[in-house]
Amino acid sequence: MQDNGTEVTAAGIARLAGVGRAAVSNWRRRHADFPRPVGGTETSPSFALADIEAWLRAQGKLAEVPPRERVWQQLAGHPEGPVTALTHAGCVLLLVHERPNLWLDASAGSDERLAAMLPAALDQVLDARFGPGPERTVATPIGPRLLPSAPLLRGAAELAAGPGARKAYEFLLGRHLDANPRQYTLTPEPLAELMAELAGPARTVLDPACGTGTLLRAVTATATRPGQELYGQDSDPALAALTALRLALSTDATVRIAAGDSLRADARTALRADAALCHPPFNERNWGHDELAYDARWEYGFPARTESELAWVQHALARVRDGGTVVVLMPPAAASRRSGRRVRADLLRRGALRAVIALPVGAAPPYNIPLHLWVLRRPERAPARPEVLLADAGQFAGEGRGGPDWRSVRDAVLDAWGTYDRTGRLDDRPGLARCLPVIELLDDDVDLAPARHLPPPTATGGTGRLSDVRERLDETLRLTAELTPAAPGTGRAAPRRPLTTVGELARAGALTLRTGTNGGHARVPVLTDHDVLTGTGPSGTLPESDEEPVLTEPGDVVVPVLGGGTVARVIDDATAGAALGRGLVLLRPDPAALDPWFLAGFLRGTANHRQASSYASTATRLDVRRLQLPRLPLDAQRGYGDRFRALDEFERALRLAGRLGEQLVRGMYDGLTDGTVDPGR
């Protein structure tokens, strides 16, 4: 069946065939019958998917295209663009999920019959899930627009036959989001779950800047209630439609998603929800300051032009019932900017602001700053003794780019919030949380940054911890001295040895080569490229998809392909079982042919990396197949391997000594300045 104009790029061809892009370029040069471009540009041409698939099969380079890869290529190369294609696929997957018999009836026969019958069938299911036609964010595609999508729709339904319609849509949406990282601001799932738990059980929930719907999904995942209703709004109509379909497929709750700017064109003026969650756009000056000066939502003061986040806070408070909870992700500057101090002061005086929680660096974009969570309640009555909870979870920041230690963040934050919410007070937890009377914050600045008000962590037991760090540092320095390699002998000419490449070894079966995936169905720790470069444990997560993650085993050698660093890591028992992240290549040597430490050691050679790297773009990229190593018998390999293993132990000891030294220096500065360390010692 023809794909009606579906196009695929060189990168897509490489994924279909399981090769690198360089191989596709070689095929174009060497094979006169390679399909001609049908679109794109001279430097980035596109090809007809059906022609490419037929050519690959004829050449014996492709036995069968995996269904999910074929559907993705159909979606990515759709004539009307991937967003339209994803909307059409989502509508059909919802039909397959809700009314499978309607789909079977409509899909029997030709593509023309499918396009003619689908609108009536989709009307039934879309009206049932999203309300009558005029109120729906998801419009029913008309017949002529559905015809180019027919192969995609049949493929999507086929994809849903195994894991189900929900997982099929999550896979397609996840691939689209990954392919367009700058187009969407995503809320990490662990953060969304934390925000939902802070909000507590709720039957009606609003997200006025819902984006991809992660916060509303988290509400249903943490506390499903009978008759639950999810309300959302987003300024991007296309994204609002995708989110509505995502929520309808993932939950049985009533879903009502509107398109439009919530501040300028609020679609939920009559709503009084039980809870509101919001990850608003940050630092937005064009939020409606001039035209909304007299809006009734500004109960706590008219926000300044530079305080768009305080406008979102008040909007959310205006759309919950008395006693309803609001949880908003905020930039840290919103807690202390002078332009917002009057609004912050009124939120405190009237008991609306209940908690300000500082998150660790890396919790959400932008990842380089520690964002805050504000927890608010619409006041039912003035509190007798108004107090506010200030908490700082910054100590749980992770070393890698995989993000914070979310389990520790969740446990610490929910424990402090739960105690404060039940009793109205909390004993000081140095460095973590304290309950502060509002009157102490109502000064000229009304500065709510938790770090400025918490007792320092060294106030209790600090000197004991410093002593422990000092003992560990002494022990590590002794180990480092023992592991220091002996001085090399006098220089000698480099021996001439027969060389082979990783690619040749892979073809000979001496090792297997795997690359990291974009997602996975297994909830396992993920080894990221940053973990490999810094020598730390697995710190990443994979988005949920039907892809099978590549799991590491002891003796595997992992190599980052970006950045130009000369690094190769041998997987040990502690790291085994982690999923391989993006930007990494895994080499699994046959132990009867290759010693893993010998392999890793020679792959780290500077000259070796230089000759195998590409510098054609702004980032250095390593072609692992071109890395070289000498042809040696296994006994000789093991001799090299022992030396390389010793160097690795020395390197890890140096890293640990550096981290412990930094902890000791920082702790001594803190102890001397807060008085817990005697300067005479």
Side-chain angles (χ1 to χ4, degrees):
M1 186 170 294
Q2 293 301 309
D3 283 338
N4 296 317
T6 299
E7 298 176 10
V8 62
T9 64
I13 297 171
R15 285 194 293 269
L16 285 170
V19 298
R21 291 187 61 177
V24 178
S25 298
N26 288 334
W27 293 344
R28 291 186 63 197
R29 288 195 302 269
R30 296 176 181 176
H31 296 274
D33 62 340
F34 191 88
R36 300 299 179 190
V38 297
T41 65
E42 185 175 345
T43 56
S44 182
S46 58
F47 307 82
L49 176 60
D51 294 344
I52 289 296
E53 185 179 350
W55 187 86
L56 289 173
R57 282 206 182 95
Q59 294 290 324
K61 301 181 185 299
L62 184 66
E64 185 59 53
V65 179
R68 62 187 177 194
E69 190 61 42
R70 176 179 175 81
V71 173
W72 168 249
Q73 294 299 341
Q74 290 170 331
L75 188 150
H78 193 278
E80 293 192 46
V83 173
T84 297
L86 193 53
T87 304
H88 292 179
C91 288
V92 163
L93 287 170
L94 186 59
L95 178 65
V96 171
H97 181 69
E98 301 272 337
R99 311 279 180 89
N101 289 334
L102 279 180
W103 164 253
L104 291 175
D105 184 39
S107 61
S110 66
D111 288 353
E112 289 74 13
R113 180 178 182 273
L114 173 65
M117 293 189 65
L118 261 186
L122 291 177
D123 267 335
Q124 293 185 42
V125 70
L126 295 178
D127 281 346
R129 290 302 268 126
F130 304 125
E135 299 180 11
R136 280 203 265 113
T137 302
V138 184
T140 303
I142 59 176
R145 292 192 69 193
L146 282 170
L147 186 57
S149 299
L152 165 66
L153 303 183
R154 295 183 189 276
E158 179 186 348
L159 192 62
R166 182 184 72 84
K167 287 190 175 182
Y169 186 72
E170 282 296 315
F171 164 72
L172 295 174
L173 179 61
R175 284 284 289 264
H176 174 67
L177 298 177
D178 284 345
N180 301 275
R182 297 184 181 180
Q183 189 174 341
Y184 305 100
T185 299
L186 305 181
T187 308
E189 287 191 12
L191 174 58
E193 292 168 1
L194 174 61
M195 293 174 68
E197 290 183 279
L198 287 169
R203 193 181 70 84
T204 57
V205 185
L206 168 70
D207 183 350
C210 63
T212 60
T214 305
L215 291 175
L216 293 174
R217 285 183 74 219
V219 169
T220 62
T222 56
T224 302
R225 300 189 65 179
Q228 199 164 44
E229 299 174 4
L230 306 178
Y231 295 90
Q233 187 166 344
D234 195 87
S235 58
D236 182 351
L239 182 57
L242 296 180
T243 297
L245 291 166
R246 183 186 201 186
L247 293 171
L249 280 163
S250 62
T251 176
D252 294 329
T254 298
V255 176
R256 295 291 184 267
I257 306 297
D261 184 339
S262 289
L263 295 183
R264 286 192 173 92
D266 183 15
R268 307 296 175 197
T269 55
L271 180 65
R272 295 297 178 267
D274 296 326
L277 306 176
C278 188
H279 177 176
F282 296 159
N283 303 317
E284 179 61 65
R285 289 177 177 259
N286 186 27
W287 58 268
H289 177 272
D290 294 339
E291 60 263 44
L292 298 174
Y294 300 102
D295 197 288
R297 289 172 289 182
W298 317 140
E299 297 180 49
Y300 304 90
F302 181 40
R305 187 185 302 276
T306 56
E307 296 290 348
S308 62
E309 297 86 8
L310 293 180
W312 285 100
V313 164
Q314 294 193 72
H315 169 78
L317 278 170
R319 297 295 171 259
V320 296
R321 60 170 174 78
D322 289 348
T325 304
V326 172
V327 184
V328 186
L329 185 67
M330 301 283 279
S336 56
R337 280 190 299 239
R338 290 189 62 81
S339 55
R341 66 188 186 279
R342 292 185 180 179
V343 174
R344 293 196 299 270
D346 210 35
L347 288 168
L348 289 171
R349 287 192 195 97
R350 296 173 58 182
L353 183 58
R354 306 304 305 276
V356 176
I357 301 164
L359 297 169
V361 170
Y367 290 105
N368 60 328
I369 59 175
L371 301 176
H372 289 178
L373 288 176
W374 287 22
V375 185
L376 307 101
R377 288 259 171 81
R378 184 168 180 81
E380 296 179 277
R381 58 182 182 277
R385 293 187 303 166
E387 294 188 341
V388 65
L389 173 68
L390 300 177
D392 189 346
Q395 62 186 285
F396 303 117
E399 292 185 0
R401 288 182 297 188
D405 177 358
W406 279 112
R407 182 184 295 275
S408 298
V409 171
R410 177 185 176 278
D411 291 346
V413 169
L414 292 181
D415 182 56
W417 167 252
T419 301
Y420 165 75
D421 194 36
R422 286 192 308 271
T423 65
R425 57 178 293 104
L426 180 76
D427 293 334
D428 285 357
R429 300 180 180 183
L432 181 61
R434 78 182 307 182
C435 191
L436 204 63
V438 165
I439 192 66
E440 295 187 22
L441 296 169
L442 294 176
D443 53 18
D444 288 340
D445 295 323
V446 196
D447 191 335
L448 306 180
R452 295 197 172 103
H453 302 283
L454 298 182
T458 54
T460 56
T463 54
R465 284 197 296 272
L466 288 180
S467 297
D468 292 341
V469 172
R470 175 59 188 267
E471 290 178 6
R472 289 187 63 198
L473 178 59
D474 287 343
E475 181 182 347
T476 304
L477 290 175
R478 285 195 296 271
L479 177 62
T480 304
E482 295 172 4
L483 294 173
T484 302
T490 57
R492 58 171 181 157
R496 290 185 174 274
R497 297 173 295 201
L499 298 176
T500 186
T501 65
V502 168
E504 290 172 350
L505 291 171
R507 286 192 293 272
L511 59 82
T512 56
L513 189 148
R514 303 287 300 277
T515 57
T517 59
N518 294 315
H521 57 76
R523 289 276 183 175
V524 295
V526 175
L527 188 70
T528 68
D529 55 351
H530 188 269
D531 299 331
V532 175
L533 292 169
T534 58
T536 55
S539 65
T541 57
L542 284 175
E544 183 178 347
S545 78
D546 292 330
E547 290 189 79
E548 192 70 33
V550 178
L551 302 182
T552 59
E553 297 178 2
D556 289 345
V557 177
V558 177
V559 183
V561 297
L562 294 175
T566 56
V567 177
R569 178 170 175 178
V570 179
I571 300 299
D572 56 16
D573 291 333
T575 311
L580 191 69
R582 297 176 62 182
L584 294 175
V585 171
L586 179 145
L587 307 176
R588 181 164 293 161
D590 179 353
L594 280 175
D595 179 82
W597 286 100
F598 164 80
L599 173 64
F602 273 96
L603 296 190
R604 290 192 61 171
T606 302
N608 201 4
H609 264 249
R610 189 181 299 120
Q611 65 84 28
S613 295
S614 167
Y615 306 92
S617 63
T618 55
T620 303
R621 186 175 185 87
L622 179 69
D623 185 350
V624 176
R625 292 177 178 272
R626 293 176 55 189
L627 288 171
Q628 300 175 336
L629 60 159
R631 297 178 182 271
L632 294 177
L634 194 56
D635 288 343
Q637 292 180 30
R638 288 171 179 155
Y640 276 100
D642 290 341
R643 291 298 304 270
F644 287 137
R645 188 198 296 262
L647 282 175
D648 181 76
E649 292 179 9
F650 176 62
E651 183 178 39
R652 284 189 280 118
L654 284 177
R655 283 175 174 160
L656 178 58
R659 290 196 293 269
L660 291 172
E662 289 177 2
Q663 290 181 31
L664 181 61
V665 170
R666 184 169 61 250
M668 289 296 294
Y669 270 111
D670 290 343
L672 288 167
T673 54
D674 65 25
T676 57
V677 173
D678 184 353
R681 292 180 61 190

